[in-house]
Amino acid sequence: MRSLWSKEEAEQYVERYRERANADIALRVYSSRLIGRDPSLVLHGGGNTSVKTVVRDDLGREVEVLCVKGSGFDLQDMEPEGLPALRLEPLRALRHLQTLSDEDMVNAQRTRMLHASAPNPSVETLLHAFLPHKFIDHSHADAMLSLLDQPDAEKLCTERFGKRFAFVPYIMPGFALAKLAAEVYEKHPECQGLLLLQHGFFTFGQTAEESYLRHVQAVDEAEQYCRKRRYWTMQRASMPPAKSLSYAALAPILRGLLGSSRDEVGGVQTPVRRYTLELRNAPETRAFVDDPNVDELSQIGCATPDHVIRTKRFPLVLSIDTHANETVTREHVAKALHVYRERYRDYVQRQMARKGIVVQPLDADPRIILVPGTRSR
Ligand code: ZN
């Protein structure tokens, strides 16, 4: 990974937004876009960035604010409006509270906003607010998670990054995480960022460029480390036999059963949905799907919430007898889908009960289906 920062481009952003935003915010927009442009750093809507700056309120008074990514905005096409401004001092005062529920936190954040109609600021706003740095960048970059999701992540990361980063143990994003991250930073005031175990990482800087470069540099080093250790290398399994089930034969069966109004085995009603299927057949993908341990490997869970909102927690593995006829294949797929949907519904129910909340469940269909041993045609 290399830095995409360009001095000329940065100056153009300052010029372009002169009427709408100060230079801090314009540069915040610029480097947010640089991060958003790279899918190995963030996927659509993922990650967040902030800047602490001074703006004028509606009475013309100068006020210190935190401008942080708002919900519904994507870093890739960030605009100043996507960085709602919150009064920094009363935001920081929240740190004195012992606890703050997610609902109260959202409300507390909204009451500190300068513009009543601005989007809700990120769920990680308080983490940005409680740290003193001017520019802060946060992502769930794949390469970093390849280290941070390991059981011995602290050892691996210390080997790789030395003392440049401090470690924050896993807790769900929200008030408690924001407080803990600030405490960790205060114990390691010399660090350039925070590594959040099983979550992602933050870099800080006095300028947009400094924070961005630290971010990209760390990801680049993590990538080199992963390549050296062959974390991302899979041995290609043997080719499927020539007469095995083809994608062309399977796809219409899948399309017919996915999103159907009736779960064929259990008779449970689900909303009608129409899907477009896309075959992904790259050598790395095939190596994973045809691996003898795919049942186990594919059910570990995805690396980051950036993925889970697109892929669901687990893919469906269809271990079909690749010589079966259409009727048998169809029955097999229907049954496997039923089991998958039941498992998803159970999971949603269990988590709602655990948290004591009620949410509208999504449809229960898989988003990724792994079919070992199929041919592409
Ligand atoms: Zn995060």
Side-chain angles (χ1 to χ4, degrees):
M1 170 161 300
R2 277 181 306 160
S3 161
L4 302 173
W5 185 276
S6 143
K7 190 164 175 281
E8 294 72 41
E9 226 182 346
E11 284 165 1
Q12 284 164 16
Y13 269 74
V14 174
E15 192 53 43
R16 187 193 306 174
Y17 288 108
R18 189 171 293 283
E19 298 290 309
R20 286 159 62 193
N22 67 27
D24 288 341
I25 296 171
L27 291 170
R28 181 66 283 176
V29 168
Y30 174 53
S31 66
S32 299
R33 288 188 181 193
L34 294 184
I35 290 174
R37 209 181 278 177
D38 190 334
S40 66
L41 282 175
V42 296
L43 295 179
H44 184 92
N48 47 62
T49 56
S50 71
V51 61
K52 298 178 182 79
T53 186
V54 174
V55 297
R56 287 189 187 278
D57 68 8
D58 48 9
L59 296 173
R61 297 172 305 196
E62 289 196 332
V63 46
E64 204 186 351
V65 292
L66 172 78
C67 295
V68 62
K69 194 191 99 161
S71 315
F73 278 82
D74 184 37
L75 291 181
Q76 182 172 209
D77 42 29
M78 185 50 74
E79 290 288 338
E81 294 69 29
L83 295 160
L86 295 91
R87 293 174 191 273
L88 188 56
E89 201 197 304
L91 200 58
R92 280 184 169 151
L94 292 169
R95 200 177 158 189
H96 300 301
L97 297 177
Q98 285 300 311
T99 56
L100 189 64
S101 70
D102 286 353
E103 295 73 24
D104 290 344
M105 182 177 80
V106 170
N107 184 60
Q109 288 173 179
R110 282 212 74 82
T111 63
R112 285 152 175 86
M113 291 168 70
L114 252 58
H115 298 285
S117 59
N120 268 339
S122 159
V123 65
E124 281 158 340
T125 292
L126 292 183
L127 206 161
H128 289 260
F130 294 168
L131 292 170
H133 312 83
K134 189 168 175 73
F135 286 88
I136 300 180
D137 293 5
H138 170 49
S139 79
H140 316 120
D142 297 343
M144 294 300 280
L145 283 164
S146 295
L147 272 65
L148 292 171
D149 286 350
Q150 301 289 340
D152 54 348
E154 281 198 43
K155 184 173 158 278
L156 288 179
C157 293
T158 308
E159 238 171 79
R160 184 70 257 179
F161 302 117
K163 292 189 171 169
R164 274 153 57 199
F165 292 95
F167 295 97
V168 183
Y170 182 80
I171 35 176
M172 287 269 286
F175 180 66
L177 175 62
K179 275 183 88 156
L180 180 63
E183 283 161 22
V184 169
Y185 165 71
E186 282 157 10
K187 282 186 197 139
H188 303 87
E190 74 295 341
C191 72
Q192 299 180 2
L194 298 174
L195 299 178
L196 277 60
L197 299 174
Q198 290 104 48
H199 175 159
F201 82 118
F202 284 77
T203 51
F204 337 120
Q206 194 44 46
T207 63
E209 185 180 7
E210 184 178 50
S211 181
Y212 170 75
L213 289 182
R214 286 173 171 175
H215 212 82
V216 171
Q217 175 72 26
V219 174
D220 184 55
E221 289 176 33
E223 282 177 349
Q224 289 181 33
Y225 193 82
C226 293
R227 268 196 290 271
K228 206 167 104 193
R229 297 212 154 195
R230 302 174 66 83
Y231 278 2
W232 297 333
T233 311
M234 290 207 71
Q235 209 63 42
R236 177 78 200 258
S238 55
M239 289 287 286
K243 278 194 172 168
S244 60
L245 181 70
S246 73
Y247 173 70
L250 179 64
I253 298 175
L254 276 174
R255 260 201 302 274
L257 292 170
L258 281 167
S260 59
S261 60
R262 182 170 288 276
D263 187 331
E264 296 212 346
V265 175
V268 178
Q269 294 291 324
T270 51
V272 178
R273 296 169 67 90
R274 295 273 176 262
Y275 292 100
T276 302
L277 303 185
E278 186 189 327
L279 174 67
R280 303 272 176 102
N281 218 16
E284 302 81 17
T285 313
R286 280 247 65 107
F288 183 74
V289 174
D290 292 334
D291 190 282
N293 299 318
V294 67
D295 279 325
E296 186 196 336
L297 293 176
S298 66
Q299 305 301 302
I300 289 170
C302 53
T304 149
D306 271 22
H307 296 156
V308 80
I309 56 172
R310 292 170 178 80
T311 63
K312 287 221 166 91
R313 275 172 81 217
F314 306 114
L316 168 64
V317 183
L318 276 181
S319 300
I320 299 176
D321 171 2
T322 52
H323 296 91
N325 65 29
E326 193 188 322
T327 313
V328 174
T329 303
R330 192 182 158 78
E331 273 170 22
H332 182 105
V333 173
K335 202 166 172 189
L337 275 174
H338 172 69
V339 171
Y340 185 95
R341 288 165 175 159
E342 284 297 294
R343 185 183 180 197
Y344 181 73
R345 292 186 189 110
D346 280 357
Y347 159 71
V348 174
Q349 291 299 331
R350 213 169 49 242
Q351 295 302 328
M352 284 199 296
R354 194 174 70 87
K355 294 209 83 179
I357 54 168
V358 177
V359 295
Q360 180 64 37
L362 301 174
D363 72 276
D365 283 330
R367 294 294 184 269
I368 295 180
I369 301 174
L370 310 179
V371 196
T374 42
R375 289 179 292 122
S376 54
R377 290 178 202 287

